Amino acid sequence: MSVAVRFVVNGERVDADVPPRLHLADFLRDTLGLTGTHLGCEHGVCGACTVRLDGAIVRGCLVLAVQADGGVVETIEGLSDSGEIADLQAEFRARNALQCGYCTPAMLITAQDLLRRGGVPSRAAIREHLSGNYCRCTGYQAIIDAVEATAMARAEHSK
Ligand code: FES
Ligand code: FES
């Protein structure tokens, strides 16, 4: 059995027939080839599968593709191609905020979710916002540094 769904993914309309139990992350990776959305735990703990759905971040391993029907989905590929997070990505590179890179796409999407609220969040607020995204490599300090530096630079540019 399959269900007809329709989304906008990274600005492009997508029509597909999907099994009702297919998760959004699997659909993005296996059907659309958007493999920047990673899968770690596959039960809502690690955050590696984070994508945007209708402007809010969600865990792609906990959302069924059919639940996203009619929605607007944005993945790391979309955010990268649009340039929306180019400055954040540059700070991650400059500060060695990624090592293996497995957590990085979701970490960037989650950080941008905080940053686009504006202002310069405290380090505690950054830590709290990223607390649902696990990183096995970096020890988090460089990630917090990169997010904080991006927030400061954006605040400076908006003056
Ligand atoms: S793969 Fe979705 S939270 Fe870990
Ligand atoms: S850089 Fe390896 S898991 Fe975060």
Side-chain angles (χ1 to χ4, degrees), residues 56-131:
I57 53 172
V58 297
R59 289 196 172 348
C61 73
L62 295 184
V63 176
L64 298 171
V66 294
Q67 291 177 296
D69 184 27
V72 175
V73 180
E74 294 166 278
T75 70
I76 189 63
E77 290 86 352
L79 269 66
S80 295
D81 290 349
S82 71
E84 178 183 332
I85 56 169
D87 55 348
L88 180 60
Q89 289 169 312
E91 288 291 353
F92 265 60
R93 274 194 300 273
R95 295 167 186 276
N96 293 322
L98 66 154
Q99 290 176 27
C100 80
Y102 202 84
C103 70
T104 309
M107 200 67 85
L108 290 164
I109 291 177
T110 305
Q112 174 64 358
D113 182 65
L114 177 63
L115 289 171
R116 67 186 187 146
R117 298 174 190 181
V120 180
S122 67
R123 289 179 72 85
I126 296 170
R127 221 173 251 292
E128 171 72 23
H129 199 78
L130 296 178
S131 61

Side-chain angles (χ1 to χ4, degrees), residues 38-50 59-62:
H38 291 164
L39 285 165
C41 65
E42 299 191 60
H43 62 275
V45 175
C46 73
C49 59
T50 304
R59 289 196 172 348
C61 73
L62 295 184

